[in-house]
Amino acid sequence: QVQLAESGGGLVQTGGSLTLSCAASEYTFSDYNVAWFRQAPGKEREFVAAVGRNISVTKYGDSVKGRGVISRYNQVNTVYLQMINLKPEDTALYYCAADRSLTVTTDKNQYVLWGQGTQVIVSS
């Protein structure tokens, strides 16, 4: 029912920052847990960050702890991922995903709705 659309990717230099956006098509977005995953060529999809229906519940992957902040603004049906101090290893296709489970998980298999992804390239 809900459609997700990522934006904000691009080319940045090592040490730079960017903010990714995940926009949902419907007002029921507030009922979903939302997560960011990333996938580099030849690699498995990796958990990055998640925020629950209750915005006080957030989780971060080890690779971005201290460098990423996930937030949501339900009034505009949007979730953001702010990343700083970017590294070449952050280069990947970043996906937004949503699920209406009662708990927030880091397991990609728990998420039902997915966007098309936005590409992040960090120059080295």
Side-chain angles (χ1 to χ4, degrees):
Q1 299 295 324
V2 176
Q3 302 289 324
L4 305 178
E6 304 95 335
S7 62
L11 176 64
V12 297
Q13 296 184 12
T14 297
S17 64
L18 82 170
T19 299
L20 305 181
S21 299
C22 174
S25 62
E26 299 183 7
Y27 65 93
T28 55
F29 192 44
S30 61
D31 296 332
Y32 290 81
N33 308 309
V34 180
W36 287 93
F37 293 83
R38 68 187 186 186
Q39 188 167 19
K43 304 293 185 180
E44 294 188 4
R45 195 162 297 186
E46 175 189 15
F47 173 75
V48 177
V51 59
R53 302 178 186 181
N54 183 339
I55 61 173
S56 67
V57 179
T58 58
K59 296 183 178 181
Y60 295 93
D62 291 340
S63 63
V64 298
K65 287 182 178 179
R67 301 190 300 118
V69 176
I70 187 169
S71 60
R72 70 188 303 167
Y73 188 31
N74 290 333
Q75 289 87 342
V76 294
N77 296 329
T78 303
V79 169
Y80 305 94
L81 176 66
Q82 182 180 2
M83 298 183 66
I84 64 172
N85 193 23
L86 288 164
K87 306 173 181 179
E89 63 193 53
D90 294 319
T91 296
L93 189 64
Y94 284 71
Y95 295 93
C96 177
D99 180 75
R100 57 172 65 194
S101 298
L102 296 178
T103 59
V104 181
T105 74
T106 63
D107 183 1
K108 62 181 181 294
N109 298 127
Q110 295 293 319
Y111 290 87
V112 178
L113 303 176
W114 292 84
Q116 296 300 308
T118 184
Q119 182 69 52
V120 173
I121 300 175
V122 183
S123 63
S124 59

